[in-house]
Amino acid sequence: MADGTVWIGNKRYSSWSLRGWLAVRLAGLDVDEVVIPFVRDGSGGTPGIRAVSPNGLVPYLRHQGAEVFESLAIVEYCAEQAPGFWPQDRVARAAARSWAAEMHAGFAALRKAMPMNLGRARAGTPPAQEVLADITRIEAIFAQALKASGGPYLSGAAMGALDCMYVPVVTRFLSYAVPVAATTRAYCDAARAHPLVARWYEAALAEPKEWQLAHYEDIP
Ligand SMILES: N[C@@H](CCC(=O)N[C@@H](CS)C(=O)NCC(=O)O)C(=O)O
């Protein structure tokens, strides 16, 4: 029997779920995985998610008696089980934690204009100024993190906490064909090719068509 369960939303759309799931899988937690497809019936969220998760949102993790919600808290929980998730060096760790928190709390313009949709592969309307500002800031973070860690992942030779937080941004850069610098592109390619990310994509693209939602599919 597994040590717990991680609840997630549609793999095609749920960027927060991808963070939590990636952390759980990278850390090697033995948990079952339950996908609850999003329902948009005007009742303020998916009833099945509200029924199970304390904050009415996914990802949500139950593991050996611990109940963890909010993707950053799940990443931190997994970091306790997986040494190396954060940099060993205090100064490097402070930077990585700051960038992770910045992602958790910020980049609203990018998230709104380019919602995660793993089934999409085409450029959209030219990004607004505030979206471009988010992209510029994220590329600067990537450049600094890759320089500090030595790459090919933000966390170094293996994916860690910072990658969990930023892989959903990578998917947006790819889905919306965002023109980016060579360093960003190299990281996007490495992240996309990571076996766990490839596994998530494969499952996302195999989800039933009935799970698709206009909110994510109809972005110009
Ligand atoms: N800040 C939360 C955000 C989680 C969140 O917004 N999850 C969305 C899916 S990506 C959700 O569960 N929505 C409920 C619904 O759409 O029914 C986190 O980091 O986990």
Side-chain angles (χ1 to χ4, degrees), residues 51-181:
V52 73
S53 163
N55 67 345
L57 301 170
V58 283
Y60 171 48
L61 171 68
R62 273 192 217 147
H63 179 252
Q64 295 179 340
E67 302 196 7
V68 203
F69 47 92
E70 287 292 326
S71 54
L72 186 53
I74 294 174
V75 170
E76 288 288 4
Y77 180 81
C78 292
E80 290 178 10
Q81 330 270 328
F85 243 46
W86 292 114
Q88 292 299 310
D89 175 73
R90 178 182 59 87
V91 173
R93 191 166 61 250
R97 280 215 160 99
S98 301
W99 291 325
E102 188 174 351
M103 176 72 247
H104 195 70
F107 305 123
L110 174 74
R111 293 214 300 254
K112 187 163 180 225
M114 299 178 182
M116 189 168 106
N117 179 355
L118 300 191
R120 176 188 172 116
R122 64 185 164 83
T125 48
Q129 209 50 47
E130 60 270 26
V131 179
L132 288 173
D134 280 354
I135 293 169
T136 301
R137 173 65 188 148
I138 290 166
E139 289 208 73
I141 292 170
F142 283 5
Q144 277 180 277
L146 290 165
K147 190 165 173 220
S149 75
Y153 304 115
L154 300 181
S155 307
M159 276 196 172
L162 203 50
D163 298 282
C164 294
M165 295 307 292
Y166 279 93
V167 161
V169 168
V170 165
T171 74
R172 292 172 160 100
F173 285 177
L174 297 172
S175 294
Y176 293 85
V178 175
V180 290

